[in-house]
Amino acid sequence: MRSLHDNVRSEEALKRKCERMATGDIAVFLYSHELEDERYPDDCPLKTERVLRTREIVSSLGLLSDSRVEEVNFAPAGRSDLEAFHLPAYLDALEAAAAGHHRLEYLEMGIGSKDCPVFPDMYSYGQLACGGTLTAADLITSGDAHIVFNPSGGFHHAGPAMASGFCYLNDIVLGCLRFTEVGMKVLVLDLDAHHGEGVQEAFYDRNDVIYISLHESGRTLFPGTGFEREIGADSGRGYTVNMPLPVDTYDDAYLECFQQVVMPLIAAYAPDVIVMELGMDALSGDPLAHLALTNNAYATIVDNVVEFGTPLLATGGGGYHPDNTARSWAFLWGVMSGGVAIDHPPLALGGVFLESTEWHGGLQDRTQVPTVKQRRSVEPAVANTIERIRRDIFPCHSISS
Ligand SMILES: [Zn+2]
């Protein structure tokens, strides 16, 4: 397999980024100090401090100080914002449960399940995440920013009246709706290890939002959806694209999916905005998922997406190794904002060294060479998925396969 790494040369990338910055495109990092007071329960794998940690790293590396970069604060989403997708009765239940008035019947809405426990910040954290992603959408629709990163967003599992997989409120759907309200065509690229069934279902019969997901197969991972045969319905047929991946999928195989399927779809669909869910749970060593990426794969994809020149709204998502997640989000922010060329991560910008004692190279993971056994199990499965997608989806977009 040919790697996209081969196509990316740091000098060229830097030159293009410099040109982009010269045109006045602004990249915004979204952060709210209110996030620092919000917590999931201690025994929940989702650690909200990942976002604080990400900000500490990007700040210490000078990745918020460029003149083309801004850090922007945001407010929690209001009730009417949330009702653009979520049902009033569900929002009432969330508010009541968070205030300590939990009722057994709420379990039918996923509230109080193992993955969606009841705790005081369950509603307010979701409101903040949604507020961030809606602020990102507004910055893009108004033309005030070209690239916006909301690391506190990315809750792609939640349904209109269903909490699922640590997600109570679906900021991705709300952000997409904010774009479609003003007639923008949206391409969602979901790189979380889990399939984002909440986003898929929200737009399953629509063609103004194309949902593309690379994720660990539902055969081995929650939520058990996102197979190749799920391609959308009615006028949305061909506008849902699922690439389920086998256990141990490594960078080159993942990048082959991106190159063979996602790149042609971005070019053919020509979206007005790209929304990326950057869950970091596909990284090797994540305690919940079983893929084997390094953050170089994510960075290569982000770099290539940015090259399209389309406005980009990027969110966080999963990622249950907090240090790896924060370090990788910082790396990706550097790539998307133009502060880092992917072949030359900042090892010690301005004399500031990263604090991690586990890893001495900076933000970028070491390259991992897949084993023969890994290649034998992953390569045929990925090739088969690529072939199916090209056969079933590409004709809907007049792409020759
Ligand atoms: Zn996930």
Side-chain angles (χ1 to χ4, degrees):
M1 288 184 184
R2 195 158 58 94
S3 165
L4 277 188
H5 292 301
D6 299 338
N7 298 339
V8 180
R9 290 287 166 267
S10 60
E11 305 88 53
E12 288 170 25
L14 260 183
K15 186 165 164 259
R16 285 194 298 270
K17 281 185 181 119
C18 288
E19 286 166 1
R20 202 166 52 242
M21 292 304 176
T23 64
D25 293 341
I26 298 293
V28 168
F29 184 91
L30 284 174
Y31 188 76
S32 166
H33 287 286
E34 285 186 56
L35 292 163
E36 294 160 20
D37 300 323
E38 303 279 332
R39 291 278 179 286
Y40 274 57
D42 286 345
D43 59 354
C44 180
L46 193 146
K47 304 299 179 194
T48 56
E49 56 266 32
R50 301 172 307 167
V51 178
L52 170 63
R53 180 78 186 121
T54 302
R55 180 174 178 265
E56 285 173 351
I57 297 171
V58 297
S59 180
S60 71
L61 290 174
L63 295 174
L64 293 177
S65 53
D66 187 277
S67 61
R68 299 294 181 193
V69 165
E70 286 179 21
E71 183 180 1
V72 170
N73 196 357
F74 58 89
R79 171 90 182 201
S80 61
D81 294 324
L82 302 176
E83 286 184 4
F85 178 58
H86 294 288
L87 300 185
Y90 174 67
L91 297 173
D92 290 343
L94 278 183
E95 269 191 279
H101 308 297
H102 185 48
R103 293 160 67 160
L104 204 55
E105 69 220 49
Y106 294 165
L107 202 53
E108 290 170 23
M109 297 184 270
I111 302 168
S113 62
K114 182 170 171 286
D115 285 347
C116 294
V118 171
F119 60 101
D121 297 337
M122 58 189 280
Y123 189 59
S124 52
Y125 191 79
Q127 282 183 293
L128 267 175
C130 291
T133 299
L134 288 171
T135 299
D138 290 342
L139 286 165
I140 287 172
T141 55
S142 65
D144 290 326
H146 186 66
I147 291 170
V148 188
F149 183 33
N150 174 28
S152 60
F155 291 87
H156 60 167
H157 293 303
M162 183 60 71
S164 172
F166 315 135
C167 304
Y168 300 83
L169 298 169
N170 199 319
D171 62 293
I172 303 257
V173 170
L174 292 172
C176 290
L177 290 172
R178 190 62 62 94
F179 290 126
T180 58
E181 278 165 15
V182 294
M184 293 172 78
K185 279 199 312 184
V186 186
L187 183 143
V188 181
L189 178 56
D190 190 334
L191 301 184
D192 196 280
H194 300 87
H195 178 239
E197 84 283 27
V199 182
Q200 172 172 302
E201 285 167 22
F203 301 109
Y204 204 63
D205 58 357
R206 291 174 62 158
N207 60 19
D208 53 351
V209 177
I210 182 168
Y211 176 73
I212 307 171
S213 180
L214 279 67
H215 52 267
E216 182 177 337
S217 170
R219 289 191 184 84
T220 51
L221 194 68
F222 174 89
T225 54
F227 294 98
E228 295 96 331
R229 63 178 178 272
E230 299 163 37
I231 64 168
D234 304 325
S235 59
R237 188 174 167 82
Y239 292 82
T240 291
V241 184
N242 284 303
M243 310 204 74
L245 301 165
V247 167
D248 282 341
T249 293
Y250 47 86
D251 286 358
D252 280 357
Y254 196 81
L255 289 170
E256 189 75 2
C257 293
F258 177 73
Q259 189 167 33
Q260 296 294 330
V261 171
V262 183
M263 291 277 278
L265 282 171
I266 297 175
Y269 188 64
D272 298 310
V273 61
I274 296 174
V275 176
M276 290 184 86
E277 206 270 22
L278 296 172
M280 289 296 112
D281 39 9
L283 290 174
S284 181
D286 186 274
L288 296 193
H290 316 93
L291 301 180
L293 301 188
T294 74
N295 62 19
N296 299 292
Y298 283 104
T300 302
I301 290 175
V302 167
D303 198 55
N304 277 267
V305 167
V306 168
E307 286 303 308
F308 276 93
T310 305
L312 171 64
L313 191 172
T315 72
Y320 304 98
H321 187 303
D323 286 345
N324 287 352
T325 299
R327 187 167 54 78
S328 297
W329 280 345
F331 181 31
L332 297 181
W333 165 250
V335 172
M336 72 179 82
S337 65
V340 175
I342 62 175
D343 287 346
H344 295 284
L347 300 180
L349 275 185
V352 178
F353 286 86
L354 289 176
E355 295 161 17
S356 170
T357 54
E358 284 181 43
W359 197 86
H360 304 284
L363 301 178
Q364 193 169 2
D365 284 340
R366 293 186 188 88
T367 303
Q368 286 185 10
V369 179
T371 63
V372 172
K373 186 173 165 232
Q374 214 176 341
R375 282 193 181 278
R376 276 192 191 137
S377 67
V378 170
E379 207 164 313
V382 166
N384 181 55
T385 294
I386 290 172
E387 191 188 322
R388 282 188 66 177
I389 299 297
R390 292 172 68 97
R391 183 194 67 202
D392 297 341
I393 301 283
F394 277 20
C396 303
H397 302 275
S398 304
I399 308 170
S400 55
S401 53

